[in-house]
Amino acid sequence: MRVVLPGKPQAKLQAICTTQWNGKRLVIYISGNALVILGGAQDLLQTVYHDGRDNLDAVAIDEATGKIATSSGDEVYVYRPHGRKDGDLNWSLQCSMKVDAAESTSATLSWGSSEELLVGATSLMLFQTAEDETIIWGRKLSSPVKFALFSHDSTLIASTGRYDRLVKIWRRLSFGSDDVQFYSTYLSHPRTVTDVRWRGPQSREQSKINVLYTLCVDGRMRIWAATDPHGQQALQLWTDIDLQVSIQPRILDNAIQSYHRYAFVIDSRDFNCATERAGQATAAGRKEHYAHEHIAEVARCSPDVCVVLDDMGHMSAWGIENAGCKEGARTDVFNVAHVEKFRISPPLSALTGDGFVHFLNFCSEQDGSAFTLLVHQFDGRIAWLEGRLDDMFDPSWNEERLHLKALWTGHDGPIKKIIRNVSGKALLSRTNDNEGLIWKQQSRNEGMALSRYSSLSSPEHIHRTCLLDEGDFVVNLHHQSVSLWDTHSANGQLVASCEYHIDGKSLCLLVLPNPSLHSVSTYVATISSTMNGIVWEVKLPHKFDQKIDVAGDSSPSPTIQQYCYFSLGLQDELAFVLPVDPAGSTTIVSGFLDTFAKDIALSYTHNGTLRTWTARMNTEKRSVDWLVTSTVATGIDEPSLASGSSIRKIAVVDSARNGLTVWDSRGGQLEYDKHFEAQEMIQDLDWSSTPDDQSILAVGFPHKVIVLSQMRYDYLDKGPAWASIREIYIRELTPHPIGDSTWLASGNLVIGAGNQLFVHDKAVATSDGMVMDRSLSVHKHSPLDIFSVVALLNGPLPVFHPQFLAQCILAGKIIQVQKIIVNLNKALKFYADDDELDSSMKLTADDFFTEPEVLFAMKEMQSSYADLAGEEDSETFSEALATALNETLAKIPVPYLSNQEQIHLADMIECVATAEKNRRSMDDNAMRYLLFFRQHMLRKAQGPEKYLGITWREIAWAFHSGSQDILVDLVSGQFQGRMLWSHARESGMFMWMTDVSALRAQFEVIARNEYMKTDEKNPIDCSLYYMALKKKNVVQEYAAAFFLLAGNLRDAVNVCANQLQDLQLAIAIARVHGGDDCLVLRELLEDNVLPQAAFDGNRWLATWAFWMLGRRDMAVRALISPIYTILETPKSLSQQARSYLTSDPALVVLYKQLRDKTLQTLKGASMVSPRAEWEFIIQSARLYDRMGCDLLALDLVRSWEFLKQPKEPHKSVSGIPDPRMMLRRRSSLVVADLPSPNSPTLSKSVGLAESQPAKVFEEPDADSLLDSFGF
């Protein structure tokens, strides 16, 4: 559902009109220079902005053709409908006309027959608008008209001036455009006429005798009809109703009586229709309803009903029977009902200004349509009220007879800015004219509503704004002063102001965290472009603790005064500082100034350096302390826009305004990078979050808003970390571009465009293609709110999800994976659509916390999962079970999984079965490689779009495996023993094989297969491979050509790496031809591979390259530290190097494995500061959490062991400190591979950054790790 606040209606007598046209109820009103067309309470059909600078004055619709006429000053515009047959109804400008109008005069409009339009100003003019606008009659007037209205049969015109007591009746003497003539008479009134209205016809085809209703300042409604159709007077007075006397309160207390009267007439057509609708509702309810019996009796005589109201809740209704009867029967005016406590919303007692109210009522022709009352209050609101007519006239007690369906209000000028308060329950919308409206979120039976609460109009330009105390107070920052407004009442009041002076341009207005929950003051601050700022102290009265003195005065008035100056202490000139969008759980005042405090501000410089800030008030020193909580170098020059959330997410837009990046400021990682079309200019960014801190971003364009949801990290498939789940288009509703938007705490998105606010519901249909594309894990297309959708896309994964299984395998938990598959097979055997599927598969958290020693022992058992299977059912994992489960998965949809995820699950199960079949002949790393290589082959078979290829992560697992011989056989078997170079590159075989002899033998197999791959047996296909093997006799005839091309090994390698762009081929040739110790391979690794790894941020490639170079200490460091921090002179970083994909949580698995493997790796681990290792573990746990693998995150922080940091290093016999003393568990399996003290180091040739000895660090206890992660 979309709630529309279409704009502030003009305080004009003809600001609103309605009719039933083409089977649809249309309501049209004017707001500023906008024409608003609606088809229901919340059904905005179109908004048309006219090009003139002046506001519109009047609007009228032709119920025969659907044409709409508006006026502005001396211009009249006619709009013609289109597309009603196609269901795409809209209006476009047909013509415009100049009229004779004084500067202060508003033209009146009225449609007649045959597309004739009557325009009244200083003269009356009748236009024919069927084709081109043509004036067919005109008459100059002595004074400008206030009303000029055609009767429904177009034979009469009633007109009157602004202060006239005479109503002029123009009788039409002839029809046709050639010779139009009118004859005029007068209807005399004792005082000024305030309203004129013709009675509606029974139907469009059949009209009754014309009846005119007039209201006069004397408090009487007069009914005029043609009693003598042949007399000189067109209309005669039929009867009148005294509005003052018609209401007689039951309690005669002069103190509470009101003399204000409001009246409207329900035409007999609408009264009869509404009575029939009430009867249908009564019959459906099967209850006796005496009030309906009464109005049904009244409806039998088809009266018009005059309803009289006062502003104290009294209402009386009077039936008017026989008005204009041709037989001349005496008009019968009788009482229909008298009702106490007749409440409408907004109440008439709350009217401001001149208190004028205009009523329109109707009962539409659609089935089930209720009686509708439109109340146009001239303070800028139109209320749409609906109800049953019998409830409305029921004399018994009834609190709410008419229900408020919509309240149309807003601005009469374009919205420039929307600011929300911290809680998201109040907001302020502001125009260029420094006028603001305060809105508050309210809950109603129909759902969330945004209600206008207050308004303010500042004489000074408003530079920045913030809301305090749930929107009850507003602080405005001007160029040289700051002002405080009290917005408790409908019209906000300026209560205090304070002048200020600051160097540079003020960039923001921030609400600072209170020093305590019971603080009596609120602090706001501004920061200038010169990094300086001012804090103001705001003292507000307490809502629940107001002290009343003897005289009855309340506590002191609100005040604002300057509190202190401050400096941020940075040298960079800021491009901008802005408050972060409040998101996530409520901020708790801790009293500490540290990086755990929530961010309150975001700054960015011209070179794209982002900083987030938090602050703490120091009331003792009357100062404020600032702390930079994060710094992110985005590499984006001159960012045009940025926005941050209080839960450490930042969105940045480039200088071209079509490139969007999203960053995690906690880790400085790039999570999203998207370039939109050149014409799609990003102009707004707004953050929200779910109650459990899952981020949501709204990206605003001129005519649409894209809602991005945070997604689970996916390191295996490199899936997006952010994705669009909703697109909101407003071009079909309004041509005006979006001015601003913001989120409410409830998840509703408020969009301001032109004069209007659009409040979009938080409900998202899962059947929507946008949501389904995001692999939403539901099969029943039920409506969900946006918080639920984002939670499904981000929350903890079920243990049988393919991503969770893959991460378990990488973490060495293959036993738990097999148990999950076994339990899933049991659960799906008898599964039905409506059954609940246990997302944990009966595994507890303790099942994932098994110590490595226990896992190793269990793995050596005959049945590696017997201990977990339980006594009741000893079903074990097997290839046959995997096959049966995949057959089941092909038949039934599994809850929590999308179709694609279910396919991946089947692939994963098949891979686990393949690995289990070879389990006894391979180690864990070989198992990891084989699982993902097999999965890669399965996805490759599904189509090119599924093809991702083996990454350096899988190569690293195989490289550190001791079962490479079986891996070679299994990989070759995947290609039926006909492996070509493309297959070898696909598997990474020549990168992970460590036995050079086996490497050369396999390379010879590649050369032979390349030679035999075609019937021609072309030696050119295999020449490169045989030359690398130094078997020149095989391709003797091509030797000269080969050496001319390559010259030598170094040139051949360079050609492969640079011209052919095949790094694997270059490395393979260097290894096969020169061995792993050859200088060419070393140069290739140092000059090409490591710089490329640093540029891309590829830690897997870097650790492999360092290990190949014999620098195993650096290979360990590369797993935990960004590569550019290890190399002294890296290239400039790519955006890929800043991506979250560079921080794969599987790195921690390999790090733990390699750290204790050799003395070199222990030495490398010792060069990593304990603090850096601690942050690495916490970051890895956060990544597991972001992936939906909470159990693995908890297991990591629960079981991690830090190296000991001895105070005095123990030295070996050679005098070198012994790294083995850092191990907490003594091991004899650590390989002694440290070079002698005189051996050359690699750092000179590679350009490694100097490493400082790590400081002594005490291992954090388990509670510290758990607290840091959020457990």
Side-chain angles (χ1 to χ4, degrees):
M1 177 182 175
R2 181 185 63 235
V3 178
V4 181
L5 297 166
K8 179 182 179 181
Q10 297 290 87
K12 301 287 186 177
L13 295 172
Q14 275 196 292
I16 182 171
C17 62
T18 181
T19 192
Q20 184 84 15
W21 178 74
N22 197 35
K24 187 177 185 65
R25 171 59 58 174
L26 299 177
V27 180
I28 303 98
Y29 78 92
I30 52 176
S31 171
N33 66 340
L35 172 66
V36 183
I37 307 170
L38 299 109
Q42 300 295 343
D43 183 15
L44 178 63
L45 300 178
Q46 189 180 358
T47 305
V48 180
Y49 290 86
H50 86 100
D51 297 332
R53 300 181 61 183
D54 297 331
N55 291 335
L56 298 175
D57 299 320
V59 63
I61 183 167
D62 184 5
E63 65 178 13
T65 64
K67 286 187 175 182
I68 299 172
T70 64
S71 67
S72 174
D74 60 353
E75 289 277 353
V76 174
Y77 307 88
V78 177
Y79 297 89
R80 174 184 295 169
H82 302 277
R84 59 179 177 178
K85 293 182 179 179
D86 302 330
D88 185 20
L89 185 61
N90 63 85
W91 281 258
S92 63
L93 183 66
Q94 174 190 334
C95 61
S96 62
M97 300 163 282
K98 280 278 188 179
V99 297
D100 185 14
E103 293 185 1
S104 60
T105 301
S106 300
T108 66
L109 304 170
S110 181
W111 287 96
S113 62
S114 303
E115 301 183 44
E116 294 176 348
L117 177 64
L118 176 67
V119 181
T122 56
S123 61
L124 288 181
M125 290 166 285
L126 186 60
F127 291 89
Q128 173 56 249
T129 66
E131 296 298 334
D132 298 327
E133 67 280 7
T134 305
I135 185 167
I136 59 176
W137 176 79
R139 182 63 58 88
K140 192 73 174 178
L141 301 176
S142 59
S143 62
V145 296
K146 181 179 181 180
F147 299 101
L149 302 174
F150 258 126
S151 63
H152 287 276
D153 61 1
S154 302
T155 60
L156 299 176
I157 297 174
S159 68
T160 183
R162 184 173 301 175
Y163 304 109
D164 285 355
R165 66 178 185 85
L166 298 176
V167 176
K168 198 168 188 177
I169 303 298
W170 304 77
R171 175 186 290 175
R172 190 164 188 168
L173 302 178
S174 63
F175 284 86
S177 58
D178 295 334
D179 185 22
V180 177
Q181 297 293 329
F182 283 90
Y183 171 77
S184 63
T185 58
Y186 292 93
L187 305 180
S188 177
H189 293 71
R191 299 182 64 183
T192 302
V193 176
T194 58
D195 196 14
V196 173
R197 178 185 179 275
W198 291 101
R199 183 177 66 179
Q202 286 287 72
S203 66
R204 187 181 305 161
E205 294 77 16
Q206 182 180 3
S207 299
K208 279 188 175 182
I209 294 177
N210 291 317
V211 175
L212 181 70
Y213 298 98
T214 61
L215 284 175
C216 184
V217 174
D218 65 352
R220 286 181 176 272
M221 173 181 283
R222 291 172 172 82
I223 300 103
W224 307 82
T227 58
D228 182 7
H230 302 291
Q232 290 188 347
Q233 287 286 348
L235 298 175
Q236 295 81 32
L237 179 63
W238 193 270
T239 188
D240 63 1
I241 299 175
D242 191 329
L243 305 183
Q244 287 291 337
V245 176
S246 62
I247 291 182
Q248 298 293 331
R250 295 174 183 175
I251 302 175
L252 297 178
D253 186 349
N254 292 330
I256 61 173
Q257 289 190 34
S258 172
Y259 296 97
H260 293 97
R261 295 293 184 268
Y262 309 92
F264 61 91
V265 175
I266 305 175
D267 291 332
S268 60
R269 177 181 61 180
D270 293 318
F271 185 82
N272 292 339
C273 178
T275 302
E276 182 181 350
R277 299 282 189 268
Q280 294 169 354
T282 301
R286 296 182 179 178
K287 292 182 181 180
E288 293 185 0
H289 202 296
Y290 300 107
H292 176 261
E293 295 177 2
H294 171 62
I295 67 163
E297 183 66 27
V298 172
R300 287 190 179 96
C301 57
S302 298
D304 298 332
V305 177
C306 175
V307 180
V308 185
L309 309 171
D310 68 7
D311 54 9
M312 301 301 295
H314 304 109
M315 183 268 280
S316 67
W318 301 86
I320 307 170
E321 186 181 3
N322 297 326
C325 180
K326 292 184 179 180
E327 288 77 13
R330 179 63 184 169
T331 300
D332 186 9
V333 177
F334 59 94
N335 183 255
V336 175
H338 184 86
V339 174
E340 302 286 337
K341 304 297 183 184
F342 182 83
R343 295 193 176 98
I344 63 175
S345 180
L348 297 176
S349 58
L351 286 173
T352 59
D354 58 10
F356 194 88
V357 182
H358 183 205
F359 296 91
L360 294 174
N361 64 88
F362 56 84
C363 182
S364 296
E365 297 174 0
Q366 291 89 344
D367 291 340
S369 176
F371 175 75
T372 302
L373 179 65
L374 300 179
V375 184
H376 176 201
Q377 301 180 359
F378 274 34
D379 60 354
R381 293 178 289 187
I382 296 175
W384 178 301
L385 303 168
E386 278 189 6
R388 289 172 48 174
L389 206 60
D390 49 356
D391 288 337
M392 179 175 168
F393 293 143
D394 189 350
S396 61
W397 181 268
N398 192 339
E399 281 288 336
E400 191 174 10
R401 302 170 187 274
L402 296 177
H403 306 276
L404 180 66
K405 299 290 290 185
L407 185 62
W408 298 334
T409 185
H411 294 277
D412 57 3
I415 295 171
K416 177 183 179 182
K417 190 70 178 174
I418 304 177
I419 305 99
R420 58 169 273 182
N421 74 327
V422 174
S423 69
K425 296 180 180 179
L427 58 87
L428 180 144
S429 54
R430 197 179 74 224
T431 66
N432 288 322
D433 299 327
N434 303 310
E435 294 183 349
L437 291 179
I438 293 85
W439 308 83
K440 289 198 175 183
Q441 177 180 318
Q442 294 180 346
S443 297
R444 292 179 182 162
N445 296 333
E446 298 83 5
M448 197 286 304
L450 194 64
S451 300
R452 194 180 83 177
Y453 184 69
S454 184
S455 64
L456 63 86
S457 179
S458 173
E460 296 183 73
H461 173 73
I462 300 176
H463 187 50
R464 294 288 182 269
T465 299
C466 67
L467 280 72
L468 306 177
D469 202 13
E470 296 299 325
D472 289 340
F473 292 91
V474 174
V475 177
N476 287 326
L477 180 71
H478 312 286
H479 289 304
Q480 295 181 342
S481 66
V482 61
S483 60
L484 175 64
W485 295 73
D486 184 342
T487 53
H488 281 87
S489 60
N491 294 315
Q493 301 296 321
L494 175 64
V495 293
S497 64
C498 178
E499 293 186 356
Y500 73 92
H501 175 74
I502 191 171
D503 294 334
K505 179 183 178 182
S506 295
L507 300 177
C508 63
L509 187 61
L510 306 172
V511 180
L512 302 180
N514 273 344
S516 70
L517 293 174
H518 305 289
S519 175
V520 298
S521 299
T522 300
Y523 300 91
V524 296
T526 186
I527 300 174
S528 74
S529 56
T530 59
M531 314 292 283
N532 299 312
I534 303 174
V535 176
W536 291 278
E537 180 182 25
V538 182
K539 291 186 177 180
L540 305 176
H542 296 284
K543 290 184 177 180
F544 306 108
D545 189 28
Q546 286 193 352
K547 296 181 180 179
I548 308 298
D549 60 21
V550 178
D553 295 331
S554 61
S555 57
S557 300
T559 61
I560 183 169
Q561 59 183 355
Q562 189 167 304
Y563 189 75
C564 67
Y565 282 94
F566 63 86
S567 174
L568 295 181
L570 294 177
Q571 300 301 318
D572 298 342
E573 184 175 352
L574 298 180
F576 226 89
V577 181
L578 63 158
V580 299
D581 289 338
S585 53
T586 304
T587 304
I588 299 176
V589 179
S590 64
F592 296 99
L593 186 66
D594 52 35
T595 56
F596 294 101
K598 279 203 171 183
D599 297 337
I600 65 168
L602 166 70
S603 67
Y604 57 91
T605 61
H606 295 282
N607 64 0
T609 300
L610 307 175
R611 293 183 180 90
T612 56
W613 302 79
T614 189
R616 178 185 62 184
M617 293 303 303
N618 190 330
T619 55
E620 295 181 359
K621 297 182 179 180
R622 288 185 65 87
S623 63
V624 59
D625 301 320
W626 290 88
L627 177 68
V628 177
T629 57
S630 67
T631 302
V632 181
T634 65
I636 301 173
D637 291 330
E638 300 294 343
S640 59
L641 191 63
S643 178
S645 75
S646 57
I647 52 177
R648 310 292 172 86
K649 300 295 180 185
I650 303 174
V652 182
V653 180
D654 63 12
S655 58
R657 282 190 173 268
N658 58 10
L660 172 67
T661 54
V662 178
W663 303 78
D664 178 6
S665 63
R666 184 184 285 108
Q669 294 176 330
L670 175 65
E671 295 187 340
Y672 183 76
D673 188 0
K674 171 77 172 179
H675 282 268
F676 298 92
E677 298 294 332
Q679 67 272 17
E680 296 182 303
M681 307 290 285
I682 302 173
Q683 59 185 31
D684 189 30
L685 300 167
D686 294 288
W687 287 100
S688 182
S689 73
T690 65
D692 58 345
D693 292 358
Q694 309 289 350
S695 296
I696 307 169
L697 175 65
V699 184
F701 298 86
H703 297 283
K704 70 175 180 178
V705 175
I706 296 178
V707 178
L708 299 177
S709 167
Q710 172 183 309
M711 303 282 284
R712 296 185 191 97
Y713 282 169
D714 184 358
Y715 289 92
L716 301 179
D717 294 337
K718 298 183 179 179
W722 289 82
S724 174
I725 62 170
R726 191 175 187 183
E727 290 192 8
I728 300 171
Y729 293 90
I730 69 164
R731 189 185 289 273
E732 60 184 15
L733 302 176
T734 173
H736 204 289
I738 295 173
D740 199 8
S741 61
T742 193
W743 291 97
L744 294 175
S746 58
N748 299 81
L749 181 64
V750 181
I751 301 174
N755 305 358
Q756 302 168 332
L757 289 173
F758 303 90
V759 185
H760 286 267
D761 195 271
K762 62 180 179 180
V764 178
T766 56
S767 59
D768 183 87
M770 185 70 63
V771 178
M772 296 306 295
D773 287 345
R774 304 280 70 84
S775 300
L776 190 61
S777 305
V778 290
H779 287 279
K780 295 180 180 179
H781 297 166
S782 56
L784 298 171
D785 65 63
I786 192 169
F787 291 161
S788 300
V789 170
V790 176
L792 284 171
L793 296 171
N794 288 275
L797 291 169
V799 295
F800 52 82
H801 194 283
Q803 173 153 292
F804 185 86
L805 295 178
Q807 292 301 321
C808 283
I809 293 169
L810 291 176
K813 300 185 182 299
I814 186 68
I815 299 170
Q816 288 88 335
V817 170
Q818 293 175 350
K819 180 61 179 176
I820 290 168
I821 294 173
V822 169
N823 289 354
L824 179 62
N825 183 58
K826 294 178 188 176
L828 293 182
K829 280 183 178 179
F830 308 102
Y831 175 77
D833 287 343
D834 296 331
D835 292 348
E836 290 290 335
L837 192 64
D838 182 12
S839 63
S840 65
M841 288 290 106
K842 299 182 179 179
L843 269 69
T844 65
D846 290 337
D847 293 328
F848 291 88
F849 301 155
T850 311
E851 294 294 328
E853 291 83 357
V854 177
L855 284 174
F856 180 77
M858 294 168 63
K859 191 174 181 180
E860 292 299 313
M861 298 178 64
Q862 181 68 27
S863 178
S864 62
Y865 34 80
D867 290 346
L868 291 178
E871 298 178 359
E872 297 180 0
D873 192 344
S874 58
E875 184 178 6
T876 58
F877 181 81
S878 65
E879 193 170 6
L881 183 145
T883 302
L885 178 55
N886 277 352
E887 291 176 355
T888 304
L889 291 175
K891 299 176 183 177
I892 62 173
V894 179
Y896 312 112
L897 298 181
S898 67
N899 294 334
Q900 192 62 45
E901 288 166 346
Q902 194 159 328
I903 294 173
H904 291 174
L905 173 61
D907 293 346
M908 181 66 66
I909 293 171
E910 183 177 341
C911 293
V912 173
T914 303
E916 175 62 17
K917 184 170 62 175
N918 301 279
R919 178 179 60 84
R920 295 188 178 279
S921 57
M922 62 177 64
D923 57 16
D924 287 349
N925 283 343
M927 184 87 71
R928 292 180 176 104
Y929 173 85
L930 182 60
L931 279 167
F932 294 104
F933 174 72
R934 177 62 181 156
Q935 188 178 43
H936 151 69
M937 295 301 295
L938 288 173
R939 295 193 182 184
K940 179 184 176 183
Q942 294 172 7
E945 67 276 5
K946 310 297 181 187
Y947 177 75
L948 292 174
I950 288 295
T951 68
W952 285 97
R953 175 181 54 241
E954 285 74 45
I955 291 173
W957 297 125
F959 182 68
H960 291 289
S961 169
S963 311
Q964 292 183 354
D965 51 348
I966 186 66
L967 282 182
V968 171
D969 292 341
L970 291 172
V971 170
S972 299
Q974 287 289 329
F975 304 105
Q976 294 79 41
R978 304 285 297 175
M979 181 179 288
L980 304 175
W981 170 248
S982 60
H983 302 144
R985 181 174 57 227
E986 193 175 330
S987 66
M989 176 182 293
F990 290 95
M991 303 301 100
W992 50 259
M993 291 181 66
T994 55
D995 186 339
V996 177
S997 298
L999 185 79
R1000 287 170 175 154
Q1002 189 63 35
F1003 205 74
E1004 186 170 358
V1005 172
I1006 298 292
R1008 187 185 311 116
N1009 291 338
E1010 289 285 350
Y1011 176 69
M1012 301 288 292
K1013 70 180 181 181
T1014 64
D1015 294 337
E1016 298 177 358
K1017 297 181 181 179
N1018 191 342
I1020 296 178
D1021 295 337
C1022 63
S1023 60
L1024 180 61
Y1025 309 102
Y1026 276 116
M1027 293 297 280
L1029 290 164
K1030 303 180 181 178
K1031 296 188 177 183
K1032 303 179 182 179
N1033 58 322
V1034 180
V1035 285
Q1036 189 73 38
E1037 64 272 26
Y1038 297 100
F1042 178 81
F1043 285 113
L1044 285 175
L1045 175 65
N1048 51 41
L1049 176 60
R1050 179 177 285 104
D1051 291 343
V1053 166
N1054 288 336
V1055 168
C1056 293
N1058 299 324
Q1059 276 69 41
L1060 299 181
Q1061 293 293 305
D1062 193 338
L1063 183 61
Q1064 284 199 36
L1065 181 59
I1067 295 172
I1069 290 174
R1071 294 186 68 192
V1072 169
H1073 190 279
D1076 285 352
D1077 297 326
C1078 74
L1079 181 61
V1080 173
L1081 177 61
R1082 180 177 294 272
E1083 290 175 352
L1084 178 64
L1085 296 176
E1086 294 173 359
D1087 299 339
N1088 292 71
V1089 175
L1090 283 175
Q1092 187 64 39
F1095 181 74
D1096 295 336
N1098 193 332
R1099 300 188 194 182
W1100 298 102
L1101 175 59
T1103 187
W1104 174 86
F1106 278 126
W1107 199 280
M1108 287 291 297
L1109 288 167
R1111 288 303 304 269
R1112 298 178 177 180
D1113 55 337
M1114 303 303 297
V1116 172
R1117 287 181 58 193
L1119 291 170
I1120 202 170
S1121 305
I1123 311 306
Y1124 63 86
T1125 64
I1126 299 176
L1127 300 179
E1128 283 184 347
T1129 56
K1131 297 179 181 178
S1132 59
L1133 297 181
S1134 65
Q1135 290 293 64
Q1136 180 181 345
R1138 298 180 170 95
S1139 170
Y1140 75 95
L1141 293 171
T1142 63
S1143 299
D1144 191 335
L1147 290 166
V1148 76
V1149 179
L1150 186 59
Y1151 172 76
K1152 185 177 182 180
Q1153 185 183 123
L1154 298 184
R1155 185 186 67 178
D1156 307 343
K1157 193 169 186 177
T1158 73
L1159 290 181
Q1160 268 204 62
T1161 59
L1162 272 174
K1163 178 185 176 184
S1166 69
M1167 302 307 293
V1168 177
S1169 69
R1171 178 71 186 181
E1173 183 177 356
W1174 183 81
E1175 291 178 348
F1176 175 59
I1177 299 305
I1178 296 302
Q1179 175 68 1
S1180 299
R1182 290 195 184 104
L1183 296 178
Y1184 274 133
D1185 178 57
R1186 180 70 186 273
M1187 296 173 70
C1189 304
D1190 303 57
L1191 288 170
L1192 298 182
L1194 185 57
D1195 177 56
L1196 176 62
V1197 297
R1198 182 181 181 274
S1199 61
W1200 186 261
E1201 287 186 355
F1202 291 89
L1203 294 176
K1204 292 192 300 184
Q1205 299 292 331
K1207 296 183 180 178
E1208 295 183 3
H1210 183 273
K1211 296 185 178 181
S1212 62
V1213 178
S1214 62
I1216 300 175
D1218 189 354
R1220 284 175 294 189
M1221 298 305 296
M1222 301 175 68
L1223 294 175
R1224 294 185 178 274
R1225 306 183 191 189
R1226 301 195 61 182
S1227 175
S1228 59
L1229 300 178
V1230 179
V1231 178
D1233 61 348
L1234 284 175
S1236 62
N1238 297 325
S1239 63
T1241 63
L1242 182 72
S1243 59
K1244 293 181 181 179
S1245 57
V1246 180
L1248 302 176
E1250 295 294 331
S1251 301
Q1252 300 297 327
K1255 297 180 181 179
V1256 176
F1257 176 75
E1258 296 294 333
E1259 178 188 353
D1261 59 22
D1263 290 340
S1264 173
L1265 284 170
L1266 294 173
D1267 289 344
S1268 298
F1269 183 55
F1271 291 103

